[in-house]
């Protein structure tokens, strides 16, 4: 491998400086060093800080740092991180590119789906009141601020909307929904993986009869790839996806997709504008470029091939444990969120004397450290995932090549030790 020496880099820089400060000729060489050809030593900061990484047999859970970025995405970020740009120009250009690729009117890279929920809600408050309200959320006196939502769609991300000083109006039936609109309504909110009796189509139709925009939170809802345009094309005025889950972009990135006037209003409430509700949800050039690269990568994937690969991993793990006494295995695909094959392992606790929770602890304490899906042995970690004290859930989609076998062997070892 050809290494660019530090001295050579300095020489190139000096030559460029002598040539009148136009350092362009030196830039490609600096980029090469950003892509791993540098002789600068790389420090393993996890090691230095004493934080132990793990094999991710869980999935894209936020606390577990969600996903890892494909090489293409990491390389694009490394390159972008070397060059200053105007953030507004980059937000504009990336938004236009994403809107075209994702078949919607407009797009914005946000700090995450939660950040997109704040900015999209702020945009709806602005439009509903026909003015820019830079005082969101503290000076809302006399302003329209009602958001209609199904009771079953109240969730932990409510707080993102409440950051905009809104008040929720809950409905359960279609009839109640039709009656819920007042002259103070600014938005109708939908949780894509939530339950509830009102369909997406009815949700959109009724909101539009009242000229109220509707927002769909689909943060964890790719694959399938086509979901990236399904919901905007269905008529939702705003849709968000997390950048760091199935898309495998930077964890602190997200997509806000939808109507141009709303995206424009969202931008006004966003970083880098200082006096806004969104200023603390800054996205840097690295996240913006990283998310664009992740979308390019994700669109180059194939749903059928991805599912087949995940099934193979699940089957490989199942084969290692299925001949233990009373063990049953099954592959399960949740309907909406995390719509990928998961491996479910159940057993009779009279024969294998260990709870799912204990299995999870042992896997976590081993070398290498392994994290199982948080539904293991307890309550469902995401919509639709089965659970129970004698249920082990293995999320296989974030495993790296070869790790399925490591997980399988360790899982067998832990269960075998508990056979009565
Ligand atoms: C993960 C998630 C979010 C938050 O996404 P971030 O990108 O981490 O901000 C919001 N809504 C739902 C339904 C989610 O699953």
């Amino acid at each position: 491998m050809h290494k660019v020496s530090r001295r050579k880099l300095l020489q190139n820089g000096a030559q460029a400086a002598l040539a009148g400060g136009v350092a362009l000729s030196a830039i490609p060489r600096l980029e090469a060093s950003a892509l791993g050809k540098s002789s600068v030593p790389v420090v393993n900061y996890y090691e230095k800080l004493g934080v132990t990484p793990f094999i991710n047999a869980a999935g894209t859970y936020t606390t577990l740092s969600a996903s890892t970025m494909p090489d293409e995405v990491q390389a694009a970020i490394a390159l972008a991180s070397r060059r200053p740009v105007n953030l507004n120009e980059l937000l504009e250009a990336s938004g236009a590119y994403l809107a075209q690729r994702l078949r919607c009117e407009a797009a914005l890279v946000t700090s995450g789906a939660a950040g997109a929920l704040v900015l999209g809600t702020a945009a709806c408050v602005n439009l509903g009141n026909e003015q820019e309200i830079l005082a969101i959320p503290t000076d809302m006196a006399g302003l329209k601020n009602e958001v209609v939502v199904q009771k079953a769609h109240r969730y932990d991300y409510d707080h993102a909307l409440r950051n905009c000083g809104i008040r929720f109006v809950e409905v359960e039936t279609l009839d109640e929904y039709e009656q819920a609109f007042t002259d103070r309504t600014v938005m109708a909110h939908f949780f894509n993986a939530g339950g509830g009796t009102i369909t997406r189509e009815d949700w959109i139709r009724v909101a539009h009869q009242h000229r109220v925009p509707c927002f769909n939170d689909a943060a964890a809802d790719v694959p399938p790839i086509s979901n990236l345009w399904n919901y905007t094309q269905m008529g939702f005025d705003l849709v968000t996806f997390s950048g760091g889950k199935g898309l495998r972009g930077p964890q602190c990135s997200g997509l806000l997709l939808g109507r141009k006037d709303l995206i424009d209003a969202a931008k006004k409430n966003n970083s880098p504008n200082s006096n806004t509700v969104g200023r603390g949800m800054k996205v840097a050039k690295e996240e913006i470029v990283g998310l664009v690269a992740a979308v390019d990568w994700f669109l180059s994937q194939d749903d059928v091939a991805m599912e087949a690969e995940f099934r193979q991993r699940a089957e490989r793990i199942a084969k290692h444990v299925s001949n233990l006494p009373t063990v049953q295995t099954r592959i399960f695909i949740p309907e909406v969120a995390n719509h990928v094959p998961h491996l479910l392992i159940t057993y009779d606790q009279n024969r294998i004397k260990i709870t799912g929770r204990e299995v999870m602890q042992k896997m976590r304490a081993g070398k290498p450290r392994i994290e199982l899906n948080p539904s293991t042995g307890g309550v469902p970690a995401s919509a639709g995932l089965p659970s129970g004290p004698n249920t082990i859930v293995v999320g296989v989609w974030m495993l790296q090549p070869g790790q399925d076998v490591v997980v399988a062997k360790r899982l067998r070892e832990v269960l075998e030790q508990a056979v009565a």
Side-chain angles (χ1 to χ4, degrees):
M1 196 177 76
H2 172 70
K3 284 199 176 182
V4 181
S5 76
R6 201 176 140 70
R7 198 160 152 246
K8 187 115 182 253
L9 278 177
L10 288 174
Q11 274 174 359
N12 285 333
Q15 276 163 9
L18 284 174
V22 185
L24 282 177
S25 66
I27 283 173
R29 276 169 277 251
L30 286 169
E31 282 165 358
S33 79
L35 292 174
K37 291 179 186 171
S38 169
S39 53
V40 176
V42 178
V43 178
N44 180 345
Y45 272 96
Y46 289 151
E47 214 164 80
K48 191 164 178 174
L49 299 172
V51 174
T52 312
F54 49 78
I55 291 178
N56 184 356
T60 59
Y61 295 93
T62 302
T63 310
L64 301 178
S65 65
S67 59
T68 52
M69 298 179 282
D71 289 347
E72 295 91 319
V73 177
Q74 294 188 30
I77 291 174
L79 192 55
S81 71
R82 292 290 179 131
R83 317 262 292 264
V85 286
N86 180 305
L87 268 188
N88 284 320
E89 286 178 14
L90 186 60
L91 281 169
E92 283 296 323
S94 57
Y97 179 83
L98 290 168
Q100 184 260 325
R101 291 230 66 186
L102 302 179
R103 312 178 195 182
C104 55
E105 219 175 272
L108 177 65
V109 178
T110 67
S111 61
L117 289 173
V118 178
L119 296 176
T121 305
C124 291
V125 170
N126 283 187
L127 255 75
N129 288 283
E130 293 171 23
Q131 55 177 298
E132 270 180 54
I133 302 155
L134 296 176
I136 290 173
T138 47
D139 300 334
M140 303 289 287
L143 294 171
K144 303 179 182 186
N145 71 337
E146 289 178 2
V147 172
V148 186
V149 67
Q150 293 189 72
K151 198 170 178 184
H153 289 197
R154 295 297 303 271
Y155 61 168
D156 282 350
Y157 298 99
D158 280 0
H159 206 118
L161 287 79
R162 289 192 283 114
N163 281 346
C164 296
I166 61 96
R167 194 175 77 75
F168 282 110
V169 175
E170 288 182 3
V171 299
E172 284 181 90
T173 63
L174 184 56
D175 203 41
E176 280 173 21
Y177 181 41
E178 283 169 332
Q179 304 301 316
F181 290 82
T182 72
D183 60 3
R184 297 178 55 78
T185 311
V186 293
M187 180 173 129
H189 187 56
F190 197 92
F191 169 27
N192 197 50
T197 55
I198 307 172
T199 64
R200 295 180 183 87
E201 289 77 7
D202 282 340
W203 195 257
I204 295 164
R205 179 178 54 78
V206 174
H208 287 176
Q209 276 167 7
H210 293 89
R211 299 182 178 284
V212 167
C214 35
F215 196 145
N216 187 6
D217 177 356
D221 303 347
V222 288
I225 295 165
S226 59
N227 272 359
L228 289 170
W229 45 88
N230 284 344
Y231 302 120
T232 45
Q233 296 200 341
M234 192 181 278
F236 281 104
D237 304 278
L238 289 170
V239 178
T240 183
F241 293 94
S242 193
K245 293 181 179 170
L247 280 171
R248 295 185 57 192
Q251 191 184 11
C252 46
S253 72
L255 286 169
L256 182 62
L257 309 175
R259 240 167 65 188
K260 183 161 189 320
D261 57 342
L262 287 167
I263 298 289
D264 284 345
K267 281 182 196 157
K268 287 187 179 141
N269 286 280
N270 192 20
S271 168
N273 303 318
S274 299
N275 190 15
T276 61
V277 66
R279 179 59 180 83
M281 298 177 295
K282 178 168 62 189
V283 275
K285 58 188 180 305
E286 291 81 6
E287 282 95 49
I288 299 171
V289 166
L291 184 57
V292 173
V295 166
D296 276 346
W297 173 83
F298 194 64
L299 293 181
S300 76
Q301 301 297 299
D302 175 74
D303 283 322
V304 175
M306 277 194 287
E307 186 179 322
E309 166 65 24
F310 302 150
R311 260 183 202 284
Q312 270 174 18
R313 295 178 191 173
E315 278 161 10
R316 225 171 273 145
I317 298 170
K319 220 163 67 190
H320 273 78
V321 296
S322 57
N323 64 351
L324 290 170
T326 74
V327 162
Q328 306 217 314
T329 62
R330 150 168 102 89
I331 291 175
F332 179 82
I333 303 182
E335 195 55 42
V336 186
N338 305 303
H339 182 69
V340 287
H342 290 65
L343 177 65
L344 301 188
I345 302 167
T346 51
Y347 52 92
D348 182 347
Q349 280 180 267
N350 293 317
R351 285 306 308 283
I352 301 184
K353 292 191 173 301
I354 191 168
T355 65
R357 286 279 149 189
E358 287 164 346
V359 172
M360 198 164 170
Q361 288 300 338
K362 282 188 189 283
M363 299 290 282
R364 187 177 289 150
K367 273 186 185 157
R369 199 173 169 183
I370 296 168
E371 280 293 338
L372 292 174
N373 186 282
S375 296
T376 299
V379 292
S382 26
L385 268 180
S387 59
N390 65 334
T391 303
I392 294 165
V393 184
V394 189
V396 296
W397 60 319
M398 292 298 137
L399 292 174
Q400 282 159 24
Q403 291 183 334
D404 49 2
V405 177
V406 179
V407 173
K409 286 186 174 158
R410 176 66 183 146
L411 203 48
R412 182 178 174 92
E413 193 174 79
V414 169
L415 289 172
E416 215 164 21
Q417 281 167 1
V419 172

